[in-house]
Structures are given as structure tokens and as C-alpha cells.
Amino acid sequence: PQVPPPIARKSAARVVLNVEVREHKDTLADGVPYTYWSFGDETPGKFIRVREGDLVETHLSNHPDNSLAHNIDFHGATGPGGGGEASFVAPGHSATFTWRAMRPGLFLYHCVAPPAGLHIANGMYGLILVEPKGGLPPVDKEYFIIQGEFYTQGKYGERGPQHFAMDKALREEPEYVVFNGHSGALMGSSALKARVGESVRLYLGNAGPALTSSFHIVGEIFDSVYGEGGILANQHNVQTTSVPVGGSSMVEFRADVPGDYTLVDHSMFRAFNKGAM
């Protein structure tokens, strides 16, 4: 969940992104292996940070061991397909395209190769922040969290290798609703940390592909919310914020009281029975 530091420069620049698509096995939950499709080695893909006006040169390669064609769609890019049309590549091939980050905000990126829902549901997503020219207000800690769904043939927690279940996806009934690609991804030694008195900004995304997120921190109130990924704080003293499918939000709070805090999708059966905690 680490976020690159704020961009120090004030002027636009040429930024080169190298992204490789991998289909690889990882653990969805304890004792539950799953084959992920991801940008890089992890789901979600790395958090990308650019500045408004930057020219973003994107190199997308599809690992030769992969089984399907893939591409990448940046919600922060304007133009046909957000880059999806320009980056459609078969296994063992690569593509390069360039786009300018014209609008500031927090944006999702994901694969849109058909069927797009299948690629997203297998883990192909990440976040890109286009900083405004003057930057965002400084904070002490920044982390990113993306909610996503997994539609497995076995029930939640059923041990052993699991495979994608299209019938559940068409009904929009995931077995897993999780943060950062795995059940318990932000628990234990992977918990987000801050000291008392520090300000924290969370960059939130919702890859879906079906369910709106009701993001909440038990025992905290958001000082500011940047609704739907805009770069102006438009809500204050907020208990729960909605993050639409294919959308984002930014929330800020100050850590006032020491202890452990639980992050949830406040749709409670998802939190307690599907992993959104």
C-alpha cells in the first residue's frame, strides 16, 4: 500500500512507465491458491504518480508465458479507449503509446481486453494520481487501498486451488470482496501505521467489477473527503464514503487516539463474511 512521495518539480515532464502483465499463482486467502492476472507481480498494480501536464510514455508488455491477450486503460487519459486500443498485445509482444495527463485527479487503470469483467475480476487494476500543478496539501502518511471482487467456484474460505466462476460473476455474487487483492492483505504485520498526531491520506479505488464500496474506518471520522477522486476536498466530518465501481476517492484524517482501527466496506456481510476488512 506504499505511495511514491509527492512530486517536487513544478513543470511538466516526460514520464516513462514500464508495465508487464503477468498471469501467476498467489494466495487469495489462507490455504486458497488462485491464478491472478496482474500488472507487475502483484494485485493491485503499483501506485503511479505523475503531474498535471506530464507526457506519459507507456510501454506495456505481455509475458510470453501468459495465455491471453491483455491491454491497459487509464481513466486519467483522454482519447479512444484510454489507451486500451493502442495497447492490445498478445503473449510475448509489447506495445508503446503516449498520452498527456491533462486533468488532475485520482484515477483507476485496468485491463479492458474482452471480456473486460473477467480480466478485472482476476486482478488487473491499479491507481494513478495526476497531481495538480501546485501539488496536494502535504500530509504525514499516504497509503492506497483498492477494493476488488473474486468469483471463485468454491465458497469463501474453501481450501485448495480455486478457479474463476463465470456464473457467479454474471449474477454479481462474489465469494470474496477484499482490499488490495487478498483477504487480510492489510492485517497484522501489513497493517497501515501512523503515530498519534500525524495526518493520513488514503487513496481509495474500487475496481469492482460489480459492487459499490461503502468505505469506513471503525473509530475514525474523515476530516476531509475528496469525492470521486477530484482534487478539491468537498466534504468534511464524514463517517462513511461511497466509492463507485470504476471510481475513486481520497480521505484524510488525523490519528488522535492510539490503538488498532479496522477498515471495512460497511456492507457488513462483505466485511465479516467475504473479507472486506
Side-chain angles (χ1 to χ4, degrees), residues 112-165:
V112 75
L118 172 64
H119 291 248
I120 294 171
N122 278 322
M124 297 194 71
Y125 46 80
L127 284 173
I128 179 168
L129 173 66
V130 181
E131 284 191 0
K133 293 178 181 179
L136 290 169
V139 291
D140 296 310
K141 293 288 174 62
E142 296 180 301
Y143 298 105
F144 81 93
I145 301 170
I146 305 181
Q147 183 167 314
E149 303 145 26
F150 289 85
Y151 298 82
T152 58
Q153 293 178 1
K155 293 185 179 299
Y156 177 83
E158 183 175 323
R159 300 176 74 86
Q162 291 297 323
H163 302 281
F164 179 80

Side-chain angles (χ1 to χ4, degrees), residues 41-267:
D41 296 327
E42 291 286 338
T43 291
K46 289 185 177 180
F47 189 96
I48 301 170
R49 194 169 200 155
V50 299
R51 177 59 61 91
E52 180 183 359
D54 283 355
L55 193 64
V56 184
E57 181 181 303
T58 306
H59 301 262
L60 182 73
S61 59
N62 193 347
H63 194 278
D65 292 341
N66 293 344
S67 58
L68 296 174
H70 297 285
N71 62 7
I72 189 168
D73 167 12
F74 289 99
H75 285 194
T78 55
E85 295 183 17
S87 62
F88 190 81
V89 287
H93 294 267
S94 61
T96 299
F97 66 100
T98 302
W99 57 282
R100 191 172 296 280
M102 299 169 63
R103 302 288 182 92
L106 179 66
F107 301 98
L108 200 71
Y109 66 87
H110 61 87
C111 184
V112 75
L118 172 64
H119 291 248
I120 294 171
N122 278 322
M124 297 194 71
Y125 46 80
L127 284 173
I128 179 168
L129 173 66
V130 181
E131 284 191 0
K133 293 178 181 179
L136 290 169
V139 291
D140 296 310
K141 293 288 174 62
E142 296 180 301
Y143 298 105
F144 81 93
I145 301 170
I146 305 181
Q147 183 167 314
E149 303 145 26
F150 289 85
Y151 298 82
T152 58
Q153 293 178 1
K155 293 185 179 299
Y156 177 83
E158 183 175 323
R159 300 176 74 86
Q162 291 297 323
H163 302 281
F164 179 80
M166 180 61 82
D167 59 331
K168 294 179 182 178
L170 293 175
R171 295 195 306 269
E172 299 184 351
E173 296 176 353
E175 293 292 337
Y176 293 82
V177 183
V178 298
F179 297 130
N180 286 15
H182 308 267
S183 181
L186 303 177
M187 305 284 269
S189 62
S190 298
L192 313 181
K193 293 181 173 59
R195 293 183 179 276
V196 171
E198 287 187 323
S199 56
V200 181
R201 179 182 297 135
L202 300 181
Y203 298 98
L204 308 174
N206 183 8
L211 306 178
T212 296
S213 174
S214 300
F215 187 80
H216 175 79
I217 301 181
V218 180
E220 260 299 346
I221 298 171
F222 303 135
D223 299 330
S224 298
V225 173
Y226 299 69
E228 299 192 8
I231 51 88
L232 295 176
N234 58 1
Q235 295 275 356
H236 302 284
N237 301 323
V238 174
Q239 59 189 319
T240 301
T241 190
S242 179
V243 188
V245 177
S248 63
S249 183
M250 295 185 287
V251 300
E252 295 173 348
F253 62 93
R254 188 169 297 277
D256 296 314
V257 181
D260 294 333
Y261 292 80
T262 306
L263 320 178
V264 298
D265 179 339
H266 211 286
S267 297

Side-chain angles (χ1 to χ4, degrees), residues 18-41:
N18 292 297
V19 183
E20 184 180 50
V21 177
R22 290 184 175 272
E23 300 172 14
H24 59 99
K25 292 189 183 300
D26 205 336
T27 302
L28 178 57
D30 186 30
V32 185
Y34 189 82
T35 298
Y36 286 79
W37 304 350
S38 59
F39 296 111
D41 296 327

